[in-house]
């Protein structure tokens, strides 16, 4: 029987090896999205073959079937032509990132569970009442990361080495560096690897302090979705899934991809532009190492979209009535009523000046020869 390391360090090493294997297996098992995109267009295999032929790509139904099942991969030029036909990046067509349905499932899951507590599965990122953590609750996603890959590793290790060398009066260090210049800062740069080898052969000594210094922000994804979707649609989703009293049952229902799922998917697509950005979908990672969790990446993108939506709404109201829109925004500011009045007088004056300037420009343009 092989020796098994039951220490915490052994556990972390095993976790990292499993993660590395998972990444390799994911690349091998990555399923392309030809079937998904074909079915979204409502095309049979034969109809897809005919439509591609009209676009200059001759592929038999047998070839398409083999592509869809992963029995055979298309040539590079065929990947490109297929991607152009479906209007998606090649990366997305090949199966990289998250599919549209995957993201829809996460969003529906979040809406249906917005008032629940911590959720580990199915997405392996802890959620607290609709808030998504960048690295998981208590930064658990960072536990298996090699300390060398954590931000600030070298500086933190140098601090540790200076403490140990001072305590030891450089006894161990002198043997490997043949130098006693440990009071000089460049000593720890010049002999970094040698000093680590004798004073910190286990990098774990700096792990926790490094993790403690990494910020772990959250995004309230449930609130973001509340801003992007009409309230009555949110209530429809909550009502439709209220009967599923456990996360596992809800997940099973969502994963069945039934009529209800696709009805709500249409609602999400109609209101969230990011879901149709296939380049973005293809770029969503798996959150390994110090990468943000995929759910956090999705939440950040949707949060940015909500801010853009609010800005566009303000600009639209400003175009209709700039005076009224300006007053509304000034009234929302946390200043005194006197300051409200003063600010509005300044803005109204600038708007009047702008109107006069535009009128003058129009007059000058009319005088120009046609």
């Amino acid at each position: 029987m092989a020796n098994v390391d039951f220490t915490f360090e052994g556990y972390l090493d095993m976790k990292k090896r499993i993660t590395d294997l998972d990444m390799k297996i994911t690349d091998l098992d990555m399923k392309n999205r030809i079937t998904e995109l074909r079915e979204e267009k409502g095309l049979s295999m034969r109809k897809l073959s005919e439509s591609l032929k009209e676009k200059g790509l001759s592929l038999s139904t047998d070839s398409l079937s083999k592509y869809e099942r992963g029995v055979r991969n298309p040539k590079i030029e065929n990947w490109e032509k297929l991607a152009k036909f479906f209007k998606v990046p090649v990366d997305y067509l090949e199966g990289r990132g998250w599919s549209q349905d995957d993201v829809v499932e996460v969003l529906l899951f979040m809406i249906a569970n917005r008032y629940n507590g911590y959720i580990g599965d199915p997405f392996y990122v802890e959620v607290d009442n609709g808030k998504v953590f960048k690295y998981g609750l208590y930064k658990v996603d960072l536990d298996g990361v090699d300390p060398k890959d954590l931000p600030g590793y070298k500086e933190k290790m140098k601090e540790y080495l200076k403490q140990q060398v001072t305590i030891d009066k450089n006894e161990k260090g002198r043997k490997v560096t043949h130098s006693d210049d440990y009071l000089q800062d460049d000593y720890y740069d010049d002999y970094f690897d040698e000093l680590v080898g004798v004073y910190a052969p286990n990098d774990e000594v700096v792990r926790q302090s490094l993790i403690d210094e990494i910020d772990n922000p959250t995004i309230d994804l449930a609130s973001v979705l509340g801003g992007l979707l009409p309230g009555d649609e949110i209530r429809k989703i909550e009502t439709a899934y209220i009967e599923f009293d456990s996360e596992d049952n809800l997940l099973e229902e969502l994963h069945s991809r039934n009529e209800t799922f696709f009805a709500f998917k249409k609602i999400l697509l109609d209101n969230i532009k990011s879901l149709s950005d296939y380049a973005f979908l293809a770029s969503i990672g798996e959150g390994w190492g110090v990468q943000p969790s995929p759910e956090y990446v999705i939440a950040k993108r949707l949060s940015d979209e909500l801010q853009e939506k609010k800005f566009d709404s303000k600009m639209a109201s400003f175009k209709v009535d700039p005076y009224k829109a300006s007053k509304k925004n000034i009234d929302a500011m946390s200043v005194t009523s006197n300051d409200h009045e003063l600010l509005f007088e300044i803005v109204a004056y600038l708007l009047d000046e702008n109107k006069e300037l535009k009128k003058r420009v129009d007059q000058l343009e009319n005088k120009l020869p046609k």
Side-chain angles (χ1 to χ4, degrees):
M1 180 177 175
N3 292 328
V4 180
D5 185 351
F6 289 104
T7 64
F8 180 66
E9 290 77 14
Y11 157 75
L12 291 174
D13 179 62
M14 181 61 69
K15 186 173 180 181
K16 183 177 184 300
R17 286 162 63 190
I18 290 171
T19 299
D20 291 342
L21 285 170
D22 281 343
M23 292 175 72
K24 291 175 182 177
I25 291 168
T26 298
D27 285 339
L28 290 172
D29 289 349
M30 188 171 64
K31 190 177 186 302
N32 69 60
R33 299 193 173 104
I34 299 174
T35 304
E36 171 194 321
L37 293 166
R38 174 176 63 77
E39 290 178 350
E40 279 183 11
K41 283 182 172 287
L43 298 174
S44 65
M45 200 89 70
R46 181 178 61 80
K47 187 62 179 173
L48 175 59
S49 178
E50 292 171 356
S51 299
L52 289 170
K53 192 171 184 178
E54 292 172 4
K55 301 289 184 180
L57 178 57
S58 182
L59 288 174
S60 66
T61 55
D62 181 59
S63 293
L64 286 170
S65 176
K66 287 177 179 176
Y67 291 167
E68 290 192 4
R69 289 181 288 121
V71 175
R72 194 171 76 194
N73 279 325
K75 297 176 182 177
I76 294 175
E77 57 267 29
N78 286 351
W79 273 126
E80 292 171 348
K81 289 177 181 178
L82 283 165
K84 186 177 181 181
F85 175 81
F86 287 117
K87 297 179 181 177
V88 299
V90 172
D91 281 352
Y92 184 82
L93 185 63
E94 287 179 329
R96 300 190 186 282
W98 282 38
S99 74
Q100 204 175 62
D101 285 355
D102 290 338
V103 179
V104 168
E105 182 175 323
V106 171
L107 300 184
L108 291 178
F109 190 89
M110 289 294 297
I111 294 169
N113 277 274
R114 65 185 302 177
Y115 300 116
N116 284 3
Y118 301 112
I119 302 167
D121 293 332
F123 311 112
Y124 307 105
V125 171
E126 301 287 352
V127 174
D128 179 10
N129 292 319
K131 294 184 178 69
V132 180
F133 292 82
K134 188 173 184 179
Y135 298 114
L137 182 65
Y138 306 128
K139 307 178 193 175
V140 293
D141 292 357
L142 300 175
D143 286 344
V145 178
D146 188 324
K148 291 185 179 68
D149 295 329
L150 292 170
Y153 164 77
K154 188 163 186 177
E155 291 308 310
K156 182 64 65 176
M157 182 58 82
K158 280 165 63 177
E159 289 176 16
Y160 177 80
L161 291 173
K162 287 178 183 179
Q163 293 172 358
Q164 298 305 308
V165 166
T166 302
I167 293 170
D168 181 56
K169 294 183 179 179
N170 201 37
E171 286 294 329
K172 293 179 184 176
R174 190 181 301 111
K175 292 177 182 178
V176 293
T177 65
H178 307 293
S179 170
D180 213 7
D181 294 334
Y182 66 94
L183 296 178
Q184 306 299 320
D185 283 341
D186 57 4
Y187 177 74
Y188 299 91
D189 286 316
D190 294 344
Y191 301 107
F192 182 78
D193 292 335
E194 292 86 344
L195 293 172
V196 168
V198 293
Y199 287 107
N202 185 347
D203 289 327
E204 298 299 322
V205 293
V206 296
R207 168 188 291 281
Q208 194 54 52
S209 57
L210 285 169
I211 290 177
D212 289 343
E213 291 178 5
I214 295 175
D215 190 24
N216 191 28
T218 63
I219 294 176
D220 191 339
L221 182 52
S223 294
V224 169
L225 290 167
L228 290 170
L229 298 170
D232 60 332
E233 302 295 5
I234 291 279
R235 287 187 289 276
K236 281 182 189 176
I237 295 169
E238 289 176 334
T239 302
Y241 295 119
I242 199 169
E243 63 183 276
F244 300 96
D245 55 356
S246 76
E247 294 152 20
D248 288 340
N249 290 340
L250 173 58
L251 235 196
E252 186 178 345
E253 170 68 11
L254 290 171
H255 210 59
S256 68
R257 303 289 197 266
N258 54 23
E259 288 184 12
T260 303
F261 176 90
F262 286 108
F264 288 140
K265 176 183 175 179
K266 185 178 185 309
I267 292 170
L268 296 183
L269 289 174
D270 288 343
N271 290 278
I272 303 175
K273 294 187 298 183
S274 298
L275 288 176
S276 298
D277 184 343
Y278 292 100
F280 163 66
L281 297 177
S283 72
I284 301 173
E286 294 299 329
W288 283 305
V290 290
Q291 295 177 352
S293 70
E295 294 73 28
Y296 185 86
V297 171
I298 293 166
K300 179 68 171 66
R301 175 60 179 263
L302 267 57
S303 177
D304 291 344
E305 182 175 330
L306 178 59
Q307 294 307 311
E308 184 182 330
K309 179 183 177 181
K310 289 179 177 178
F311 177 78
D312 290 344
S313 177
K314 286 182 179 180
M315 290 303 296
S317 63
F318 189 83
K319 288 178 182 178
V320 173
D321 188 337
Y323 294 90
K324 184 178 179 180
S326 297
K327 189 172 189 313
K328 182 179 178 182
N329 284 312
I330 291 170
D331 288 345
M333 294 180 180
S334 300
V335 295
T336 65
S337 57
N338 287 337
D339 287 338
H340 280 150
E341 292 177 12
L342 179 60
L343 281 169
F344 182 69
E345 286 178 12
I346 294 170
V347 172
Y349 172 77
L350 292 173
L351 289 170
D352 290 341
E353 287 291 302
N354 183 64
K355 190 186 293 183
E356 289 301 316
L357 181 61
K358 187 176 184 306
K359 190 185 297 182
R360 180 62 179 152
V361 170
D362 290 342
Q363 291 171 350
L364 290 171
E365 284 182 344
N366 289 332
K367 289 182 180 180
L368 292 172
K370 300 296 182 183

